[in-house]
Amino acid sequence: MAQQRRAKADPQDELATRLRLLQELSGRGVRALARDTGLSSSSLSRYLSGQSVPPWPVVIELCRLVKRDPRPLRPLWERATNPLPAPPKTSRQVQPPSPPAGAPRPPRNDLPRDVPDFTGREAQLAAVLAVVDSSRVVTIDGMAGVGKTCLAVHAAHRLAAGYPDAQLYLDLHGFTDGREPLDPDPALRALLAALDVPSEKVPQEGGVEPLAACWRSELASRRAVVVLDNAASAEQVRLLLPGAGPSVALITSRNRLVGLEEVSPVSLDVLTPKESAELLVRASGDPSGADGRLARDPESAAEVLRLCGHLPLALRLAGARLRHRPGWTVGILVERMAEGASEFDTAFAMSVRQLDRAERRLFRLLGLLSGSSFDDYVAAALADVPLRSARAMLEDLLDAHLVQQPSAGRYTLHDLVHQHARRAAAERDSPAELERALGRVLDYYVHAAAAADAAMPDVSGSRAASAGRPPAELPRFTDKHAALSWFVTEYTNLIGVFEVAVATGSDTHACELPRFMRAFFARRCGTTHLNVLFERSLAAAQRLGDPRRLAEAHSDLGFARYNAGRLAEAGAAYEAAAPLVSEAGDTRSEADLIMRRGYLRWGEGRVEEPLDLFRLAGKLYTDAGCPMGAAHATAYEAWAMLQLGKREEAARLAREVLDIAHADSAWPAALTARITLGMAIAHEQSDEAAGHLRQALELAREDGHKHNEAWCLNCLGVALRQMGRFEEALASHRQAFALLDELFEEDWKIHFLNAYGETCRLAGLPDEALSLHRQALELAPKVGHRHEEALAHEGIAAVLDETDPAAAAEHRAAGQAIRQELDPGA
C-alpha cells in the first residue's frame, strides 16, 4: 500500500518542494520570493505550488546557488516534465500532451500565451522591433485595454529565437487595484531569481543600487528578452533596464514614461475601424462573408465597435458573447450594452448584465479576492450561498468569459475584469456588506486550514479554529496527502488572507492561521517565512491581550526560532511564554511548552535536563486528557534514555508507545519510538532492530518528511555499525548525507557527522573519520551544540590515538571539559 501511495505522489509537487528548500537556504521566506528574491507573481505561484515545471537550466542554477550537484534532481525533474498519462479529464480545459521523453527543454520562458487572434498593429509591431534592434529598450504606452501587454508579449515571442537564454515577464502592478506598485528592490530580486543568480552574488545590503548593478552584470553576458508590464512611472523601471550586452527590455505603461529620455516610445491608440471590425469578426467566430451576423447588420456592428471604444479587450469580450449566443442578433447585443458607463466599462458591463441578480452579486464580490486563483468553496463562502449554487454560478460566469478556468476546479479573473468587479462592488454594495463578505473569506480560510491541519499528524493533536463563524461547507480531507495538496494549491491565498487579516485588524484570524500551517511548513516549506508569520501573529496576540493566545504565540515563535537554529532567541521566547502559560491555566499549552523546552535543551547539548522535561510534559499531557501528546513525550523520554546508555529502559518505553493504536502509522510518536527501539536492541536482536529502523525509514518516505528520512538513515547506519555490518552502515550514512545535500541543510549535519565518523573509523577508514569529526568540530560551535562538539573532540582523539597520542590527549581533554561544563555533577 505504501508503495502504491508513493507511486501516486506528484513529482511536480515534489520538485516545487525542492525549489522552496533552495529558497529557504538563501535565507528568504516563500512570500519574500516575490518581494525580495522573487519571480513574477505568476511564475512564482506556478513553480512553488507545483502548477508548472521550471526549465532544467533553472534547476541547475538553483543548485549552483548553494554549490550542490544538480544531478540528483534530474530524475525528479524528468518525471515532473514527462508525467505518466492521466485519465481523461472532464474539465472544459483540454490538457496539452506531455513532451516526448528525452526531448530537450526550452529555455526559461515566463511569457504569457500569445493571443491567437492578434489583429492589426503591423506598423506598431514593426516600430517596436526596430527600436529593440537599434537601442534594445522600448516603452509601449497607451490607455487601459488598448493592447499594450498583448503587443509586448507578441513582440517578445517574435524575438524569443534571437534571445535564447531567457524570456522573462514581470508584472510591476503599476495600476493594479488593491496593490501598491512593485518597488525596484523586490522587482530586481524577482528578476535575479528568475535568472537563478546564486544568492551569494545577490547583494543583501547597501540599498537598491547594488542590486541594479548585479542585474545589469548578469544581463551583460546573456541574450534575454524581458517584458516589464504595467509600469507606473519612469522611476519604477529605470533601475531595471539592461546595461551593456545584447539583452532587450519591453516596457508597458498607461503613462508616457517621459522620464526615460534615452528610451524610444511606441504609443498605442485604439484600433482603426477596419482592424476593430476584423478583430470582432475573429473573436465572434462569425463568417466574414455576406451571410454572417455582423455583415447582415452593419449599423449594429458599427455601434458595437463604438460602444467598445475600439479597445481590443472590449472587442474580444463582445465577440465572445456573440460566439456563445448563436441565437442573438447583433442588434440584441447592442441593446444589452448600457449607456452611460465609460466605453471600457461598458464592455464588461455588457457581459455582467446577461447574468441573473445572484450571479451579478457573486461577480462583484469576487473582486474582493486577491489571490492567484480560487475554488468553488471560497466562492460559496464569499457570497454566503450553498456550494451547489456557487458552482452553477461560476459555470455561468465562465460562459460569460468573466472568469477563467486555468485547471479543473480552479478559477481566476483577468486583471482588468477583476478591477471592474471591484469598482462595481464599491458602487453597488454597501461597505458593511463588503466587510461581511471579506470576513466570511477570512473565516473560511482559517477553518479550512484547521480542517487540513487536523488531517496531518501532530504532536498533541490539532485545536479547532475559533476565529469567526465556520462556513457551511468545507473541503473534505481524507488523509494527510489530500491536506498537503490543498495547502500547496492554496498557499498564496493563505498568505494573502493572513496579510488581509493583519491589515484589517482581524487579530484572531492572524493569531490562528499560522498555527494551522505548521505541519505543512515542516514538510513543504522552510522556517524563515514561518518565523515571520509568527512574529506578526505575536503582535496580533499582544493587541488581543488574551493570556492564552499570547502564551501560544510566544511558544510558537520560540519553536519556529528553534527549527531555524536560532536557539538563544528560542529560549527567550519560551521564557516569555512560561508565565503567560501559567496565568492562562491551560495545561495542554503548558505541556507543549515544556516539550519544546526539552527539544531546545537537547539541541544545546544537555542530556539529563531534557529527560526530566519530557517526563513532566508527559504527565501534563495526561492531566490535560491528551493521550497522543503523552505518547509523544514518552517517545522522547525513550530517546533521551537511549542517549544516556539505558538501552533496556529505552526499549521498554518505545514498545509502550508502539502499542498505542493510531490511524497513521507514521505519526510522530511512533516514528520516534520505532527509531529508538531499533537502536536500543541493535546489539542483542539485530534482525528485529534492522526491521524497526527500515520500517521507520519507509514511513518517513511515505510521509514525505525529508528531514525525518535523513534521521532514519543516519540511525540505521549507527545500528548497522553496532551489528558489525560496516558496508551497509556506510551506505546508509552516505544516503543520509546525500539527502541533506539535496535539502541544502548544512546545519542539520551536526546531528549526523560524528556518528558517520565513528562508523568510518570502525570500518577502517581513519582519514574519512578524521575529516568528518573535524567538520563536526567546526560546525558545532556555530549552531551551539556543545554535546556534539564534545563528541567531535573524542572522535578525533580515537582516530589519533595510534598516530599522534599527544594530540589525541589534547582533544580528549577538551571533550571532557565540555562534558563537565554541560553536567558539572558528572
Side-chain angles (χ1 to χ4, degrees):
M1 180 63 74
Q3 290 177 344
Q4 292 175 350
R5 281 194 289 266
R6 287 201 309 278
K8 295 178 181 179
D10 185 3
Q12 195 162 315
D13 176 29
E14 184 64 16
L15 184 60
T17 300
R18 299 292 182 80
L19 296 181
R20 282 195 288 275
L21 288 167
L22 286 168
Q23 178 274 328
E24 174 64 20
L25 186 64
S26 73
R28 300 276 186 263
V30 175
R31 185 175 184 275
L33 280 175
R35 186 187 63 209
D36 296 329
T37 63
L39 301 162
S40 68
S41 58
S42 58
S43 61
L44 172 64
S45 297
R46 291 197 304 272
Y47 292 164
L48 296 184
S49 66
Q51 295 179 26
S52 64
V53 181
W56 177 240
V58 171
V59 181
I60 293 176
E61 289 300 323
L62 285 171
C63 291
R64 185 182 301 168
L65 180 148
V66 290
K67 299 180 180 179
R68 292 293 179 268
D69 184 357
R71 288 174 293 182
L73 293 181
R74 180 72 185 197
L76 175 61
W77 176 83
E78 289 179 348
R79 291 198 305 274
T81 306
N82 304 293
L84 295 174
K89 294 184 178 290
T90 58
S91 168
R92 298 171 182 226
Q93 184 177 3
V94 178
Q95 300 295 323
S98 298
R105 292 288 293 170
R108 173 64 175 261
N109 192 327
D110 291 336
L111 298 178
R113 183 177 67 97
D114 196 4
V115 295
D117 58 2
F118 186 85
T119 302
R121 305 296 195 199
E122 289 87 359
Q124 293 85 353
L125 177 61
V128 168
L129 297 177
V131 172
V132 167
D133 185 60
S134 61
S135 57
R136 300 187 296 111
V137 179
V138 64
T139 61
I140 304 172
D141 56 61
M143 66 183 296
V146 79
K148 305 179 293 296
T149 300
C150 186
L151 175 60
V153 170
H154 184 72
H157 280 283
R158 289 276 299 269
L159 292 166
Y163 297 87
D165 294 330
Q167 299 91 42
L168 306 182
Y169 172 89
L170 181 64
D171 188 349
L172 299 176
H173 293 292
F175 301 91
T176 302
D177 277 355
R179 290 195 61 167
E180 292 295 320
L182 194 64
D183 289 332
D185 184 286
L188 285 164
R189 294 185 187 278
L191 292 166
L192 288 167
L195 290 180
D196 306 310
V197 178
S199 62
E200 59 266 24
K201 294 181 64 177
V202 178
Q204 302 301 321
E205 299 178 352
V208 70
E209 292 290 347
L211 282 172
C214 180
W215 164 244
R216 293 191 296 269
S217 175
E218 290 298 324
L219 284 186
S221 60
R222 307 176 193 244
R223 295 189 63 87
V225 57
V226 184
V227 176
L228 301 172
D229 196 20
N230 201 14
S233 64
E235 290 70 27
Q236 188 184 18
V237 298
R238 190 182 309 278
L239 295 178
L240 312 185
L241 302 182
S247 293
V248 301
L250 292 78
I251 307 163
T252 74
S253 178
R254 295 185 192 181
N255 295 329
R256 289 185 172 90
L257 303 181
V258 294
L260 299 179
E261 302 89 352
E262 72 281 10
V263 178
S264 299
V266 173
S267 296
L268 295 189
D269 199 350
V270 296
L271 294 174
T272 66
K274 179 180 179 181
E275 292 169 340
S276 298
E278 181 182 353
L279 178 55
L280 183 62
V281 167
R282 296 180 67 182
S284 66
D286 201 50
S288 58
D291 294 334
R293 285 179 287 176
L294 292 167
R296 291 198 302 268
D297 190 355
E299 290 184 5
S300 294
E303 181 65 4
V304 171
L305 299 181
R306 188 192 71 79
L307 291 173
C308 289
H310 301 289
L311 289 167
L313 182 59
L315 290 164
R316 288 189 173 94
L317 288 171
R321 297 307 297 170
L322 280 179
R323 184 171 70 250
H324 290 281
R325 298 293 186 271
W328 280 14
T329 65
V330 183
I332 293 175
L333 176 63
V334 171
E335 292 173 4
R336 302 294 177 92
M337 297 173 72
E339 297 291 340
S342 69
E343 291 178 334
F344 183 72
D345 278 339
T346 296
F348 294 118
M350 172 272 301
S351 293
V352 175
R353 289 190 178 91
Q354 316 310 315
L355 309 174
D356 63 29
R357 182 177 180 180
E359 291 168 344
R360 291 197 298 271
R361 174 177 174 268
L362 173 61
F363 170 72
R364 295 195 304 271
L365 293 180
L366 289 174
L368 299 178
L369 301 179
S370 58
S372 56
S373 68
F374 60 92
D375 64 8
D376 42 12
Y377 286 95
V378 179
L382 176 69
D384 198 17
V385 299
L387 182 62
R388 178 176 295 183
S389 299
R391 287 172 174 165
M393 287 190 281
L394 286 170
E395 286 298 309
D396 287 341
L397 292 174
L398 188 64
D399 287 342
H401 287 268
L402 291 168
V403 301
Q404 300 167 321
Q405 192 176 48
S407 61
R410 304 297 299 181
Y411 301 89
T412 62
L413 274 72
H414 185 281
D415 284 348
L416 297 178
V417 177
H418 186 263
Q419 292 174 15
H420 178 78
R422 289 176 66 92
R423 285 195 293 268
E427 293 171 0
R428 302 195 178 201
D429 299 293
S430 69
E433 168 57 18
L434 297 182
E435 183 178 351
R436 287 192 295 269
L438 189 59
R440 289 192 295 270
V441 173
L442 297 181
D443 292 348
Y444 166 78
Y445 273 111
V446 170
H447 285 268
D453 183 58
M456 302 172 69
D458 200 357
V459 173
S460 57
S462 299
R463 295 183 186 272
S466 62
R469 178 171 62 92
E473 297 181 77
L474 288 170
R476 293 184 178 180
F477 304 106
T478 55
D479 55 28
K480 63 189 175 187
H481 302 293
L484 273 172
S485 177
W486 182 84
F487 273 120
V488 168
T489 301
E490 294 285 359
Y491 177 76
T492 56
N493 291 334
L494 288 164
I495 298 304
V497 163
F498 179 81
E499 295 292 341
V500 170
V502 172
T504 59
S506 301
D507 289 331
T508 304
H509 298 80
C511 278
E512 291 195 349
L513 188 57
R515 302 204 84 214
F516 298 131
M517 297 179 68
R518 290 176 305 174
F520 164 68
F521 267 82
R523 289 166 173 80
R524 291 293 185 270
C525 303
T527 59
T528 300
H529 194 206
L530 191 59
N531 272 269
V532 174
L533 290 181
F534 277 126
E535 287 169 6
R536 301 173 74 185
S537 179
L538 173 60
Q542 290 170 333
R543 290 190 292 270
L544 288 172
D546 182 336
R548 182 181 65 83
R549 292 188 187 279
L550 192 55
E552 290 178 341
H554 276 296
S555 178
D556 287 339
L557 178 59
F559 196 51
R561 298 284 200 242
Y562 165 76
N563 281 302
R566 298 158 68 175
L567 303 189
E569 293 174 78
Y574 292 156
E575 288 298 319
L580 292 166
V581 168
S582 298
E583 179 183 351
D586 188 328
T587 305
R588 177 173 152 184
S589 293
E590 185 178 0
D592 287 341
L593 178 60
I594 290 174
M595 195 76 187
R596 290 170 171 179
R597 288 176 60 198
Y599 302 149
L600 175 62
R601 300 306 279 167
W602 180 261
E604 293 172 338
R606 312 290 174 171
V607 179
E608 293 284 358
E609 186 178 352
L611 177 61
D612 294 336
L613 291 169
F614 295 144
R615 285 171 174 168
L616 177 57
K619 181 180 182 302
L620 291 172
Y621 279 129
T622 301
D623 293 344
C626 184
M628 297 300 102
H632 193 77
T634 301
Y636 264 90
E637 180 185 349
W639 174 257
M641 295 291 284
L642 178 65
Q643 309 314 306
L644 292 170
K646 301 177 181 180
R647 294 178 176 272
E648 292 184 4
E649 183 66 10
R652 182 187 65 78
L653 292 171
R655 292 188 192 277
E656 287 182 8
V657 174
L658 293 176
D659 286 339
I660 299 173
H662 195 282
D664 188 347
S665 56
W667 71 295
L671 190 70
T672 302
R674 199 169 294 282
I675 293 171
T676 301
L677 179 58
M679 296 186 70
I681 65 174
H683 288 291
E684 298 83 11
Q685 299 163 275
S686 59
D687 289 341
E688 182 185 352
H692 284 300
L693 289 164
R694 294 191 188 282
Q695 186 175 358
L697 177 59
E698 186 73 11
L699 291 172
R701 286 171 172 165
E702 179 189 345
D703 192 41
H705 202 308
K706 298 296 185 183
H707 295 81
N708 281 347
E709 183 181 347
W711 182 32
C712 291
L713 284 165
N714 182 70
C715 291
L716 178 59
V718 172
L720 290 170
R721 174 232 295 163
Q722 293 172 351
M723 300 174 196
R725 296 156 63 173
F726 295 119
E727 290 302 320
E728 295 174 75
L730 290 169
S732 188
H733 284 300
R734 286 164 183 158
Q735 289 179 54
F737 273 78
L739 187 57
L740 290 180
D741 285 340
E742 290 183 18
L743 293 171
F744 316 111
E745 289 282 17
E746 289 299 314
D747 289 353
W748 257 65
K749 290 182 179 179
I750 191 57
H751 302 291
F752 305 158
L753 282 165
N754 286 313
Y756 188 7
E758 179 69 2
T759 300
C760 287
R761 183 179 70 84
L762 295 176
L765 301 171
D767 292 341
E768 290 185 35
L770 192 59
S771 174
L772 291 165
H773 289 308
R774 282 176 172 163
Q775 290 179 52
L777 187 59
E778 179 182 358
L779 181 57
K782 295 179 181 178
V783 298
H785 205 310
R786 299 286 281 161
H787 178 67
E788 291 294 339
E789 187 177 353
L791 288 177
H793 279 297
E794 293 165 359
I796 294 173
V799 175
L800 296 178
D801 270 335
E802 295 184 2
T803 58
D804 192 346
E810 290 179 5
H811 281 286
R812 190 167 286 109
Q816 184 61 34
I818 294 173
R819 292 197 177 279
Q820 289 178 350
E821 175 191 331
L822 293 173
D823 188 1

